[in-house]
Amino acid sequence: MEHVRIRRAILSVTDKSGLVEFARFLADNDVELFSTGGTRRMLLEAGLDVKSVSDVTGFPEIMNGRVKTLHPHIHAGILADKDNKEHMQTLKDLDLAPFDLVCVNLYNFADAAAKELDLKSAIEQIDIGGPCMLRASAKNFHSVLVVPGTAHYERITKELAANDMQAPLALRKDMAAATFRQTNQYDGMIADYLEKHDA
């Protein structure tokens, strides 16, 4: 798709700098917001209308937050190819809707590494659901705009504002490339830590 209109977004971030302003921009432009845990609490406290991811999954967050977005109702909405009639029919049959924007930044494993935490403590700082959503939305950049970090808020806000809340293909592709580069670095950092520490 040349342009994707942003109507429905997931926001789930560790670094919350600039988040309220970015989310308010989306909400002011009639984007329906979904979020998790601390991100949702912050946005609710800022007076924004934000639904819980559990409203989509029909399932609560469990295992201290280890499992919240790892659900087919989330990933179907992210991975649906909007040019594929079968994909869109599947969503309709399951009473699901596609997501258009996925804004995620990851647990700060670099901080855990810097603190030289023991391996058992450090692995609790390994993000699983975040990279899954990032990679899924980056793979599906023809249909979804992925936002992999706070550094991209300004460009995305400007481009969406200039295009009547439609994300151009070039923007979506650039964000997908940035996402895969970032998740690659994240995985590499974790691999290095595991190799240097005893089980």
Side-chain angles (χ1 to χ4, degrees):
M1 304 181 77
E2 185 59 36
H3 288 84
V4 169
R5 181 171 293 281
I6 307 302
R7 297 186 176 92
R8 205 161 177 262
I10 294 181
L11 302 96
S12 182
V13 300
T14 298
D15 181 353
K16 295 176 176 60
S17 56
L19 173 68
V20 170
E21 294 78 8
F22 184 61
R24 182 166 285 122
F25 164 77
L26 296 174
D28 287 348
N29 285 279
D30 300 320
V31 177
E32 187 178 18
L33 304 180
F34 294 83
S35 194
T36 59
T39 303
R40 182 169 181 258
R41 282 193 297 274
M42 182 179 187
L43 296 177
L44 288 172
E45 288 169 5
L48 293 170
D49 180 14
V50 188
K51 296 181 177 69
S52 172
V53 162
S54 297
D55 293 335
V56 180
T57 64
F59 200 85
E61 294 184 16
I62 60 172
M63 300 178 185
N64 304 114
R66 279 191 171 196
V67 180
K68 49 193 173 189
T69 60
L70 296 168
H71 195 282
H73 286 185
I74 296 296
H75 284 272
I78 293 173
L79 282 164
D81 178 352
K82 292 171 185 167
D83 289 325
N84 186 316
K85 292 180 180 179
E86 289 184 17
H87 286 197
M88 300 311 290
Q89 185 62 47
T90 296
L91 291 184
K92 185 177 179 181
D93 292 345
L94 295 172
D95 196 25
L96 300 174
F99 287 102
D100 311 301
L101 183 149
V102 175
C103 177
V104 172
N105 60 59
L106 305 174
Y107 295 169
N108 191 350
F109 190 81
D111 187 52
K115 291 176 181 176
E116 282 296 316
L117 297 177
D118 64 88
L119 197 57
K120 184 73 173 175
S121 299
I123 62 171
E124 291 304 321
Q125 300 305 311
I126 297 175
D127 202 325
I128 300 300
C132 288
M133 286 197 294
L134 284 173
R135 290 173 59 83
S137 49
K139 170 181 176 172
N140 198 29
F141 73 87
H142 278 100
S143 294
V144 178
L145 172 61
V146 59
V147 186
T150 61
H152 305 291
Y153 290 171
E154 184 177 0
R155 178 186 174 188
I156 289 169
T157 299
K158 285 181 178 178
E159 292 210 32
L160 291 180
N163 289 282
D164 191 30
M165 294 305 289
Q166 296 187 88
L169 179 58
L171 172 66
R172 302 194 315 269
K173 182 179 70 67
D174 286 353
M175 292 300 102
T179 295
F180 282 119
R181 188 173 294 111
Q182 180 177 308
T183 55
N184 178 57
Q185 292 168 350
Y186 190 76
D187 287 344
M189 177 172 52
I190 294 167
D192 289 345
Y193 197 86
L194 291 175
E195 288 172 349
K196 292 174 184 175
H197 292 78
D198 294 334

